[in-house]
Amino acid sequence: STAPSGEPWIATAVQGEGCDIFWPCIDSPHGEPGRVDLHITVPSDLSAPSNGRFLGKVDHGDGWTTWNWTAKSPNTYAIALNVGPYEEIAGEYRSRFGNTIPMAYWHLKSDTPEQVQALFAQFPKMLDFFEATVGPYPFGDEKMGVVETPHLGMEHQTINAYGNGYKIDGRGYDWLLQHEFAHEWFGNQLTNQNADDMWLHEGLGSYMQPLYARWLLGDRYMQRELANQREGLINKYPVVSGTPKTEDEVYKGDVGPGNDIYSKGSLISHSLRMLIGDAAFHEAITRLVYGRPDPRPGNFAPLYRSTGDFLEIVNAVTGQDYGWFFRGYLYNAALPVLMQTREGGVLRLEWATGDGGVFPMPLEVEIDGAVQVVAMTGGRGQVAVPGDAHVLIDPQNKVLRQMDVIDELQAYKAAQKPK
Ligand SMILES: [Zn+2]
């Protein structure tokens, strides 16, 4: 690509194609090298920000300069080359965990300074949120790094690609920056065992945006994002198949779950948080990401996780078996359907899942303004309702399920599309 000021503007992004397209590596999630040293020689008027810690640059005096970097335990697809007419804006973040984290953003020289400043001002706020919600920034001894790219974005470890063009969309933060930054925890610190578990990156990573909206602006902003995610669900392939997959088989919606690993993964995470509560959810996420409940800078290293690991952790933290929750939501393509019949002053409720498995998801039911919890033991429940009472199921929309209103909207939109 060419920068607006005319110089070359180069970026790499190899998720899918694999790291072996441009550097010697083992092209598997399990191929994480202990350390990668990068020596990138570029024309001296350009910059080459990259992964890990900066070890200085050497000007060869012939118009070329070598930039030297070293990165610990990088995710294989997270090694990236970025070359362009960049300027760096840098600062330091004082973590709640006692360490100081360098922050750096390499942006095009031609960018509007106010937009650059406004984006950079979001860095410490996002660090606040993630360190409180998940735990320590995993690469604090290297940097929080972001580089402007000609493509939309990618979770390159400590050098996140940002190509969202400083868009203002009313969310109160830059969603692309926040999503890619979430992958430092869900993707680079926690790496999936297999692409079949990719929702651990993209689903938990996509839940961080609604949670961040709540952190900044309150429930209305979180619910709006969750509602937007809900409208896009496909439910054609299960989020997790239970057999090893390639990245293409997961990311492509015609052969696998596609976008559901993002939005459905996020909504499943929300329902899990509503079911087990904030404290248990936080502890489960912390153990999942760090392998311990008390992560501190220096006492953890990147690890591999599967969907089964997550279930084991949730069970250990809660002392209950949530196999039905994982099976019902993740291993079935169809969403659970709530069947309702109301007669003789009784409302009967029953869950139906794709594989017919028992789904004992409790439900709040509001009857003329008073909320009761129906336990749904064995996937069934009932509650007394006076003949003329107004009944509202799940008034806070905690439970992900099939909804007629969404099916009607999706059918309508599909019919509007030009053939
Ligand atoms: Zn992502």
Side-chain angles (χ1 to χ4, degrees), residues 155 179-180 183 202 262:
E155 55 264 31
H179 178 86
E180 301 307 342
H183 284 308
E202 299 296 8
Y262 295 80

PDB file of all heavy atoms in Angstrom, residues 155 179-180 183 202 262, ligand 1:
ATOM      1  N   GLU A 155      -4.627  -9.082  15.830  1.00  0.00           N
ATOM      2  CA  GLU A 155      -4.154  -9.128  17.212  1.00  0.00           C
ATOM      3  C   GLU A 155      -2.661  -9.434  17.310  1.00  0.00           C
ATOM      4  O   GLU A 155      -2.255 -10.318  18.046  1.00  0.00           O
ATOM      5  CB  GLU A 155      -4.968 -10.154  18.002  1.00  0.00           C
ATOM      6  CG  GLU A 155      -4.999 -11.577  17.421  1.00  0.00           C
ATOM      7  CD  GLU A 155      -6.228 -11.858  16.572  1.00  0.00           C
ATOM      8  OE1 GLU A 155      -6.747 -10.921  15.936  1.00  0.00           O
ATOM      9  OE2 GLU A 155      -6.663 -13.015  16.534  1.00  0.00           O
ATOM     10  N   HIS A 179     -11.210  -4.438  20.553  1.00  0.00           N
ATOM     11  CA  HIS A 179     -11.317  -5.859  20.209  1.00  0.00           C
ATOM     12  C   HIS A 179      -9.928  -6.474  20.014  1.00  0.00           C
ATOM     13  O   HIS A 179      -9.632  -7.540  20.563  1.00  0.00           O
ATOM     14  CB  HIS A 179     -12.170  -6.051  18.953  1.00  0.00           C
ATOM     15  CG  HIS A 179     -12.260  -7.486  18.526  1.00  0.00           C
ATOM     16  ND1 HIS A 179     -13.199  -8.356  19.042  1.00  0.00           N
ATOM     17  CD2 HIS A 179     -11.498  -8.214  17.681  1.00  0.00           C
ATOM     18  CE1 HIS A 179     -13.010  -9.553  18.516  1.00  0.00           C
ATOM     19  NE2 HIS A 179     -11.986  -9.501  17.683  1.00  0.00           N
ATOM     20  N   GLU A 180      -9.087  -5.808  19.234  1.00  0.00           N
ATOM     21  CA  GLU A 180      -7.751  -6.372  19.002  1.00  0.00           C
ATOM     22  C   GLU A 180      -6.957  -6.418  20.310  1.00  0.00           C
ATOM     23  O   GLU A 180      -6.210  -7.362  20.561  1.00  0.00           O
ATOM     24  CB  GLU A 180      -6.988  -5.567  17.938  1.00  0.00           C
ATOM     25  CG  GLU A 180      -7.665  -5.478  16.569  1.00  0.00           C
ATOM     26  CD  GLU A 180      -8.054  -6.827  15.973  1.00  0.00           C
ATOM     27  OE1 GLU A 180      -7.525  -7.867  16.415  1.00  0.00           O
ATOM     28  OE2 GLU A 180      -8.909  -6.847  15.067  1.00  0.00           O
ATOM     29  N   HIS A 183      -7.461  -9.394  22.479  1.00  0.00           N
ATOM     30  CA  HIS A 183      -6.738 -10.609  22.082  1.00  0.00           C
ATOM     31  C   HIS A 183      -5.378 -10.742  22.760  1.00  0.00           C
ATOM     32  O   HIS A 183      -4.780 -11.820  22.718  1.00  0.00           O
ATOM     33  CB  HIS A 183      -6.552 -10.640  20.567  1.00  0.00           C
ATOM     34  CG  HIS A 183      -7.801 -11.006  19.817  1.00  0.00           C
ATOM     35  ND1 HIS A 183      -8.540 -12.123  20.115  1.00  0.00           N
ATOM     36  CD2 HIS A 183      -8.436 -10.407  18.779  1.00  0.00           C
ATOM     37  CE1 HIS A 183      -9.574 -12.191  19.281  1.00  0.00           C
ATOM     38  NE2 HIS A 183      -9.536 -11.162  18.465  1.00  0.00           N
ATOM     39  N   GLU A 202     -12.272 -15.345  20.026  1.00  0.00           N
ATOM     40  CA  GLU A 202     -13.162 -14.369  19.397  1.00  0.00           C
ATOM     41  C   GLU A 202     -14.440 -14.109  20.204  1.00  0.00           C
ATOM     42  O   GLU A 202     -14.953 -12.993  20.207  1.00  0.00           O
ATOM     43  CB  GLU A 202     -13.540 -14.821  17.978  1.00  0.00           C
ATOM     44  CG  GLU A 202     -12.358 -14.968  17.015  1.00  0.00           C
ATOM     45  CD  GLU A 202     -11.638 -13.655  16.723  1.00  0.00           C
ATOM     46  OE1 GLU A 202     -11.942 -12.635  17.362  1.00  0.00           O
ATOM     47  OE2 GLU A 202     -10.745 -13.678  15.848  1.00  0.00           O
ATOM     48  N   TYR A 262     -17.762 -15.130  17.109  1.00  0.00           N
ATOM     49  CA  TYR A 262     -17.684 -13.799  17.725  1.00  0.00           C
ATOM     50  C   TYR A 262     -18.952 -13.522  18.552  1.00  0.00           C
ATOM     51  O   TYR A 262     -18.931 -13.490  19.775  1.00  0.00           O
ATOM     52  CB  TYR A 262     -17.562 -12.701  16.657  1.00  0.00           C
ATOM     53  CG  TYR A 262     -16.303 -12.729  15.825  1.00  0.00           C
ATOM     54  CD1 TYR A 262     -16.166 -13.601  14.746  1.00  0.00           C
ATOM     55  CD2 TYR A 262     -15.255 -11.856  16.093  1.00  0.00           C
ATOM     56  CE1 TYR A 262     -15.011 -13.603  13.967  1.00  0.00           C
ATOM     57  CE2 TYR A 262     -14.105 -11.853  15.324  1.00  0.00           C
ATOM     58  CZ  TYR A 262     -13.988 -12.729  14.259  1.00  0.00           C
ATOM     59  OH  TYR A 262     -12.853 -12.729  13.495  1.00  0.00           O
TER      60      TYR A 262
HETATM   61 ZN    ZN B   1     -10.795 -10.942  16.835  1.00  0.00          ZN
END
